[in-house]
């Protein structure tokens, strides 16, 4: 499954990432940057997940991850996060940051497993297409 299609499928779930459908897959794919993008590919060449590390000029990076539903809980997120941390360290970054919805217990547990700590909560930060306002939890990892 191409990277933009995985992103669109995760967006369709409406609860794991900030983006909601409809996702313009072609526009998303055209705007994707390869720098800092790591992918998970399984036997047979199927793309099942990605993580993007967006470097800032200030020595830290923001992280975003998407994993195909059928591949969650099978180590894909751990492998991607470990690779992203290594990638960031190799480039001399001092910190990784991310935001996660507070109801995404599996993602929060994964991030904590790798040493990320909660740094704050932005209350009613994102307006969903339903009109609901959702909090986000900010997490960080000093490298």
């Amino acid at each position: 499954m191409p990277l933009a299609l995985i992103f669109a499928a995760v967006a369709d779930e409406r609860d794991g990432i900030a983006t909601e459908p409809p996702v313009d897959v072609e526009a998303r794919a055209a705007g994707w940057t390869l720098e800092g993008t790591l992918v998970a590919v399984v036997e047979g060449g199927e793309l099942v997940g990605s993580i993007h590390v967006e470097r800032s000029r200030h020595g830290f990076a923001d992280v975003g991850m998407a994993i195909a539903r059928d591949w969650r809980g099978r180590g894909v997120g751990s492998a991607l996060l470990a690779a992203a941390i290594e990638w960031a360290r190799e480039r001399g970054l001092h910190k990784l940051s991310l935001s996660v919805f507070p109801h995404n217990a599996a993602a929060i547990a994964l991030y904590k497993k790798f040493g990320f700590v909660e740094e704050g909560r932005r209350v009613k930060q994102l307006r969903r297409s339903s009109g609901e306002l959702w909090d986000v939890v900010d997490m960080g990892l000093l490298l």
Side-chain angles (χ1 to χ4, degrees), residues 5-18:
L5 291 178
I6 290 175
F7 184 85
V10 173
D12 281 343
E13 295 172 28
R14 295 184 183 268
D15 70 350
I17 60 175

Side-chain angles (χ1 to χ4, degrees), residues 96-108:
L96 293 178
S97 299
L98 58 86
S99 295
V100 59
F101 292 130
H103 63 262
N104 194 343
I108 291 170

Side-chain angles (χ1 to χ4, degrees), residues 6 17 21 23 25 30 34 41 43 47 52 54 60 68 72 76 79 88-91 94 100 108 110 118 127 138:
I6 290 175
I17 60 175
V23 173
V25 173
L34 295 180
V41 179
E43 192 172 321
L47 184 65
H52 184 74
E54 184 69 33
F60 72 92
R72 293 181 200 149
V76 174
R89 284 184 174 140
E90 288 172 353
R91 282 149 185 83
H94 72 271
V100 59
I108 291 170
L110 172 66
E118 186 173 328
R127 183 183 313 271
D138 292 323

Side-chain angles (χ1 to χ4, degrees), residues 3-127:
L3 193 55
L5 291 178
I6 290 175
F7 184 85
V10 173
D12 281 343
E13 295 172 28
R14 295 184 183 268
D15 70 350
I17 60 175
T19 301
E20 293 182 89
V23 173
D24 184 336
V25 173
E26 290 179 14
R28 187 84 189 177
W32 218 280
T33 58
L34 295 180
E35 171 75 16
T37 299
L38 306 168
V39 298
V41 179
V42 295
E43 192 172 321
E46 180 185 3
L47 184 65
V48 298
S50 70
I51 193 165
H52 184 74
V53 183
E54 184 69 33
R55 294 186 343 176
S56 83
R57 64 177 192 223
H58 303 290
F60 72 92
D62 289 314
V63 176
M65 182 164 48
I67 300 170
R69 182 189 296 263
D70 292 345
W71 287 92
R72 293 181 200 149
R74 299 172 67 179
V76 174
S78 290
L80 285 170
L81 198 52
I85 291 167
E86 180 181 337
W87 184 92
R89 284 184 174 140
E90 288 172 353
R91 282 149 185 83
L93 298 176
H94 72 271
K95 183 178 182 179
L96 293 178
S97 299
L98 58 86
S99 295
V100 59
F101 292 130
H103 63 262
N104 194 343
I108 291 170
L110 172 66
Y111 302 140
K112 285 182 176 180
K113 177 176 121 177
F114 279 86
F116 281 80
V117 296
E118 186 173 328
E119 296 182 332
R121 184 179 190 118
R122 291 182 279 162
V123 177
K124 299 184 185 218
Q125 179 72 12
L126 295 175
R127 183 183 313 271

